[in-house]
Amino acid sequence: MTTPDDAPPDQEVLRIDAGGWGWTWAADSDGRLHQVGLGLDGAGAAVEVDPVWYPHAHPAWGGPDPFRPPALRITHAEGTTTTRLRLDRVERQALGDDELVTVRTVDELLALRVAFRSRTHRYSGVLEQWIEIDHDEDGPVTLWDYDSIAPAFLVGPEAVVTQFGGAGWADEWAWTTERLTPGTKVLDSLGGIQPHLQRSPVLMLEPNGPAEEAAGDVIGCSIAWGGNTRFALDVRPRANDETRDLRLRAGANPLGAHYVLDPGTTFVTPTVAWTWSTGRGELSDRFHRWTRGRVLRDPDRTRPIVVNNWESTFFDFDEQRIVGLIDRAADVGADLFLLDDGWFGTSSPRDDDTAGLGDWDPDRRKLPEGLPALVDAAAGRGIRFGIWVEPEMVNPDSDLFRAHPDWVIRDRREPREHRNQLALDPLLEEVRDFEVSVVDRVLGGAPGTSYVKWDANRPVTDPGSSALAADRQSTAWVDWVHATWEVMQRIADGHPEVELMLCASGGGRTDHGTLRWFHEFWTSDNTDPVTRVRMQWACGHWFPASAMAAHVTQWGDRPLPFACAVALSGRFGFDLDLEALDDESLAVCRRAVAVARRTQDLVQHGRLVRLVSPVDGDDRGRAALGYTAPDRNRAVVFCFQLDEPSSDPPALVIPGLDPEVTYRIRATDLTSDPADLGTFTGADLAAGALGWRPRGSTTASILELTTSV
Ligand code: DGJ
């Protein structure tokens, strides 16, 4: 037995420099991997004692710590329930400035291998990690737990964790911060197709108590997985010490989803992307850079100003009504008209949500000349046309279901309907081909359509697949994600110029894995601007504003100028009955479009600077955030008053500008054109030289800063 006083033996040390932080693993003399360093200087950690005294790198059931839940739990072919891995070899592959590091391990007794894979993105400082498991045992093995990462931390008594998710539909991105106490806290999601309606697969850990925007340790973690996810935080007290041991496990949620793995096949866990930053601002800088660099399609292309018809018509429209809305969309200066649900269905017309899903031919009662007439109407007004689809779903009242009742996700019981619909089973090859053909046919039938909103309005509630053998039904949860991603990839590859919006009853599918085939997502069906300020604040910690669709609607009956200002701080658009607006309201919309034209490059591609939080801190009745240009010559700041203002609101402190530079500031609340507020240096603004005197609740002020004095 080695003791801490022994000199470290000649061990293999593995360092991962993730860009500004890192971690170090080392093998002990038995070849077991330990985490010897993690954090800002984690890639340079000295191995001070025998690695055996450090926490295990990725504990498996049956390993040396039998009292804590493991990250890997496997039943081997001959029945053994324990796994003990030892280092086989380390492979390093250069990828430009980055690296793919593979740590290959083998079970000491059985013919099972686990490869720990890490891909750096040093430009952002976000590290991508996943594991791969394969074996040559004498039959299938069963994977019960298969977390992608399991780092160990020493945290202070004030450590907090922040989760993102509320009561389900229309409550996405609700912000909850809580102190970590001893025990295991599990933050998970279920439902398969729209798990993120329950909880976004991201987590913020602040090991020394709540951090600030520019100070404090922040660990941010995103499970890039379009299925059920699980974070587990296992906290243990330490004797005679206030600090605590924390093991964070993150990956696909294995509940009901144990994976039966045949010899010679490889199981790949979801990628978990994570970083260790100083301050929450840096966390967002990093996730935005990584999301742009590794996730989003066409991240540098400025997103269109979209007018959608859903909230103004629901299913009740005809060609004349839509052409009227297209005209108004062009009049207010939008770029694109998006026709939502309700345009299809022939023998089972889609007049409400009870019929038609699956039958993707235009309803000729509503649209006698089909979609091409609408594409032409939009083109005639100089704007683009987009269309809504929900290719994974079927109403029982549809020709598709009547022809293929066996295509749906179900077990042997009668499947339960949700929003009167069933989900198609993507593990069936003919279903995958059908789903691809839906988009191909819709786009092919209406050439010129250049935008697709991909919706998915039910979860999986009765898991089962006729494509899988009886003893493999539980693998469907994982296999469905890969099968759906295959469909999405085929569609994205087949239509490289078409912009795709991801939606699942709002933000039910907002993850960094699925987003790889999309340009943006529908953040939430909840468009009440007061709620949206808080949702977008939380969501903006992880995703750039270019991806966060934000439309002006009438939800919450808020003043239109305020609703427009809130939408302008995301990817701007309208979901309003533009034909019903009076002249004054139309003028507000036109002013908002003019602001979007001047500021959308900053909002979408600039650097987010959060100024006043509506979700934590003392005053949650207001919010302020800004976006600065890379050269800091321009910026836009949004100030939102959510509740009645206090009589003496604090000054607005705007950091992040060039202290030496003089900025001219023009401000508008959208009830009138921008007014000149004068000039200020960046240093003045960082010192709070600018007052903020809101006129009342649900008002906004948009400040445009330029150096052209
Ligand atoms: C849910 C989406 O979130 C809405 O925006 C809308 O597209 C409806 N589905 C249509 O059914």
Side-chain angles (χ1 to χ4, degrees), residues 13-273:
V13 177
L14 162 72
R15 298 182 189 283
I16 296 179
D17 167 7
W21 69 288
W23 67 341
T24 301
W25 290 8
D28 64 24
S29 50
D30 290 330
R32 302 212 205 297
L33 286 162
H34 299 261
Q35 174 189 303
V36 300
L38 173 63
L40 298 178
D41 50 12
V47 186
E48 284 166 355
V49 292
D50 188 313
V52 79
W53 294 101
Y54 291 87
H56 271 255
H58 198 94
W61 186 242
D65 188 352
F67 308 119
R68 297 186 70 162
L72 257 185
R73 193 160 58 93
I74 300 171
T75 299
H76 294 271
E78 37 70 289
T80 300
T81 61
T82 57
T83 298
R84 277 185 210 161
L85 301 174
R86 62 176 156 67
L87 180 63
D88 176 16
R89 61 186 189 280
V90 176
E91 295 160 1
R92 287 185 177 269
Q93 183 190 343
L95 305 167
D97 291 339
D98 284 300
E99 245 188 322
L100 176 65
V101 182
T102 306
V103 181
R104 296 199 183 278
T105 63
V106 292
D107 187 88
E108 63 182 22
L109 183 69
L110 297 152
L112 179 128
R113 293 166 288 273
V114 178
F116 297 89
R117 316 261 275 169
S118 308
R119 188 163 80 130
T120 65
H121 187 243
R122 293 187 180 123
Y123 169 66
S124 66
V126 170
L127 179 65
E128 301 163 15
Q129 296 195 298
W130 67 99
I131 65 177
E132 295 175 4
I133 305 171
D134 74 323
H135 69 96
D136 304 311
E137 297 189 18
D138 285 340
V141 305
T142 305
L143 314 178
W144 299 98
D145 284 288
Y146 36 82
D147 292 301
S148 302
I149 62 166
F153 303 86
L154 193 60
V155 302
E158 306 297 328
V160 291
V161 61
T162 301
Q163 55 171 303
F164 300 81
W169 178 76
D171 200 26
E172 300 92 327
W173 295 104
W175 175 290
T176 307
T177 299
E178 55 203 317
R179 279 267 292 277
L180 280 172
T181 52
T184 302
K185 184 167 188 70
V186 174
L187 299 170
D188 62 355
S189 63
L190 292 168
I193 290 174
Q194 32 180 236
H196 315 337
L197 274 189
Q198 304 155 46
R199 183 170 282 117
S200 295
V202 291
L203 171 138
M204 195 165 78
L205 170 67
E206 293 166 325
N208 303 309
E212 295 167 17
E213 282 300 315
D217 286 320
V218 186
I219 292 119
C221 184
S222 168
I223 307 170
W225 186 235
N228 305 339
T229 59
R230 179 181 72 176
F231 291 104
L233 298 119
D234 183 28
V235 181
R236 299 288 161 121
R238 288 159 69 90
N240 310 317
D241 193 348
E242 277 211 304
T243 59
R244 292 167 179 161
D245 285 320
L246 163 65
R247 174 83 65 180
L248 168 66
R249 290 178 283 122
N253 188 346
L255 187 62
H258 54 273
Y259 206 90
V260 184
L261 187 68
D262 286 313
T265 55
T266 302
F267 178 82
V268 182
T269 69
T271 295
V272 169

Side-chain angles (χ1 to χ4, degrees), residues 162 192 301 441 706:
T162 301
R301 183 160 139 194
R441 272 204 319 132
T706 56

